[in-house]
Amino acid sequence: MATCEHLEGAGSPAPVTPEGCAECLAMGMHWVHLRKCLRCGHIGCCDSSPGRHATAHFRETGHPVIISFEPGENWRWCYLDNLMDSPGGLA
C-alpha cells in the first residue's frame, strides 16, 4: 500500500472534542462523518457534511493527515499527497 512521509510521521493526539465536530457543535449544525487531525486532535466533519470542517481545518492550518473518527473505520488520509492507508491498530 502506498504511503508518504506525512502518513509515516503522523501522531495520535487525543481528540479535542470527542463528542463531535468542533465547528458544527459551536454552530448547531449536523455532520455526516467525523475525521480527526493527527497533528492536533481537531475533530471536523467530512466533505459530505454541509460544513466540510475537516478539509477547512487542513486549509487553515496545513495539518496534512486525518484519520476517520467513525467506529469500525480504520484509515488515514494525507491531503498533501492524496494518499490513503489503513494502518494496523489505529482507530
Side-chain angles (χ1 to χ4, degrees), residues 1-90:
M1 181 168 285
T3 190
C4 68
E5 67 182 279
H6 310 104
L7 289 167
E8 299 255 339
S12 185
V16 175
T17 54
E19 64 277 11
C21 173
E23 292 82 1
C24 287
L25 288 167
M27 294 184 269
M29 297 172 64
H30 297 283
W31 57 82
V32 177
H33 296 288
L34 297 173
R35 312 296 182 227
K36 180 175 85 166
C37 173
L38 291 183
R39 172 81 52 91
C40 70
H42 172 269
I43 302 296
C45 57
C46 70
D47 286 352
S48 294
S49 301
R52 300 178 179 187
H53 294 119
T55 297
H57 176 75
F58 161 67
R59 289 184 178 136
E60 291 168 10
T61 64
H63 297 170
V65 181
I66 57 170
I67 192 168
S68 175
F69 199 62
E70 293 296 315
E73 291 186 3
N74 188 22
W75 57 263
R76 303 180 303 174
W77 173 257
C78 177
Y79 284 105
L80 293 175
D81 295 313
N82 293 316
L83 286 175
M84 178 181 284
D85 79 348
S86 298
L90 291 179

